[in-house]
Amino acid sequence: MCMAACTPTDEPAATTKALRYEGVETRLLDDDLVNFRVQLRGDATRDEVDAYARCAAAQYALIRGFGFARHVRTNLREQGGVWIGDAVYTISPALPRGLQTLDAEVVAAACAEQGIPTV
């Protein structure tokens, strides 16, 4: 005899992860090169910190009138329960060369759907 709990579902288990997005600091390093420093508190993963920086880069590109960004590098560290991401992106009006490119509109929309704040 199988109870209702034995019935398989296609829905993922709900998570109750409490994350606090603590802000984005942007620094223009050159005309098309931008540094994003993000802070995230809570039970965050490296991927979530990276996503926060990616969302900030996408929105920043849109604010500046550009449609694309390319990831250059991200350094991550955890200090006293706070995750800090230090990322650098190039922004451009046309799709840049490289493998880690972002369509800023698509990424910003996905961030909004996922509840990840942007700049």
Side-chain angles (χ1 to χ4, degrees), residues 16-29:
T16 57
K17 198 173 206 179
L19 298 177
R20 273 197 349 225
Y21 296 92
E22 295 197 331
V24 177
E25 177 185 323
T26 60
R27 291 187 325 195
L28 188 60
L29 302 175

Side-chain angles (χ1 to χ4, degrees), residues 94-116:
L95 183 64
R97 293 174 54 170
L99 298 176
Q100 296 188 33
T101 59
L102 308 176
D103 180 322
E105 274 190 39
V106 172
V107 172
C111 295
E113 286 177 14
Q114 296 169 16
I116 301 172

Side-chain angles (χ1 to χ4, degrees), residues 32-106:
D32 65 346
L33 191 65
V34 186
N35 174 240
F36 300 93
R37 184 179 165 124
V38 299
Q39 287 192 185
L40 188 58
R41 185 179 300 273
D43 190 23
T45 65
R46 295 174 87 72
D47 287 341
E48 288 166 328
V49 179
D50 191 45
Y52 190 19
R54 187 171 47 253
C55 291
Q59 185 64 40
Y60 184 85
L62 293 174
I63 289 169
R64 295 285 309 265
F66 294 103
F68 299 92
R70 181 178 58 84
H71 179 254
V72 175
R73 65 120 176 108
T74 301
N75 295 320
L76 302 172
R77 72 174 200 250
E78 188 271 332
Q79 180 177 337
V82 177
W83 277 92
I84 300 167
D86 181 18
V88 175
Y89 284 81
T90 61
I91 55 175
S92 62
L95 183 64
R97 293 174 54 170
L99 298 176
Q100 296 188 33
T101 59
L102 308 176
D103 180 322
E105 274 190 39
V106 172

